[in-house]
Amino acid sequence: MGAMSGFGRGAFFLADCPARLAVELIADKWTVVVLYGLSEGPLRHGELIELIGGISRKMLTQTLRRLQAHGLIRRHAYAEVPPRVEYELTPLGATLIEPIHMLTEWARANGDAVLDALDADPEPLAHSD
């Protein structure tokens, strides 16, 4: 059982790794886009839909709930008629804007090189068997 227990510790470490949390958070494209959309200040659901483009209302709602659960955004419901709900970055969420900006700059600087590599690849990746 010695080898198994060693593997178990390794698997636990991978599951608990901070880098994995970061990747899981930002791997979803809508997470990054929504956080960046809120970087200028609080917005309503409909305003986010217009700003982002290409996201369904359902997907935006799911993304906002996930970001709220992770403590990255705050939902504020105003006691008005009709009710008004705004979303804004928490201080924790705001700390992700600079890393997102860095990723955006990387994509701007290197996007052409990535596309060139894709165009130059003579075989699609489907032949891995």
Side-chain angles (χ1 to χ4, degrees):
M1 177 147 150
M4 272 310 261
S5 62
F7 177 78
R9 276 197 308 274
F12 175 77
F13 171 75
L14 290 175
D16 201 40
C17 178
R20 180 162 166 178
L21 169 64
V23 168
E24 284 175 355
L25 272 175
I26 66 170
D28 181 279
K29 70 174 177 179
W30 296 122
T31 293
V32 173
V33 172
V34 169
L35 289 173
Y36 205 70
L38 292 172
S39 65
E40 297 295 314
L43 291 171
R44 297 167 74 166
H45 196 277
E47 292 171 329
L48 275 166
I49 293 270
E50 285 179 29
L51 180 66
I52 292 169
I55 188 171
S56 69
R57 297 187 73 82
K58 180 181 175 186
M59 181 55 70
L60 178 58
T61 298
Q62 289 174 354
T63 303
L64 289 167
R65 285 184 183 149
R66 188 172 62 251
L67 294 175
Q68 187 179 357
H70 282 89
L72 301 177
I73 65 167
R74 180 181 301 119
R75 179 185 188 272
H76 189 80
Y78 294 89
E80 296 176 2
V81 180
R84 179 168 59 101
V85 176
E86 284 185 345
Y87 298 89
E88 65 179 334
L89 295 176
T90 61
L92 180 62
T95 64
L96 270 172
I97 298 305
E98 184 57 30
I100 289 170
H101 183 69
M102 291 173 69
L103 284 170
T104 304
E105 287 302 311
W106 179 89
R108 189 172 288 128
N110 298 288
D112 287 343
V114 171
L115 292 175
D116 289 347
L118 278 173
D119 290 343
D121 190 358
E123 298 224 355
L125 295 175
H127 301 294
S128 58
D129 37 60

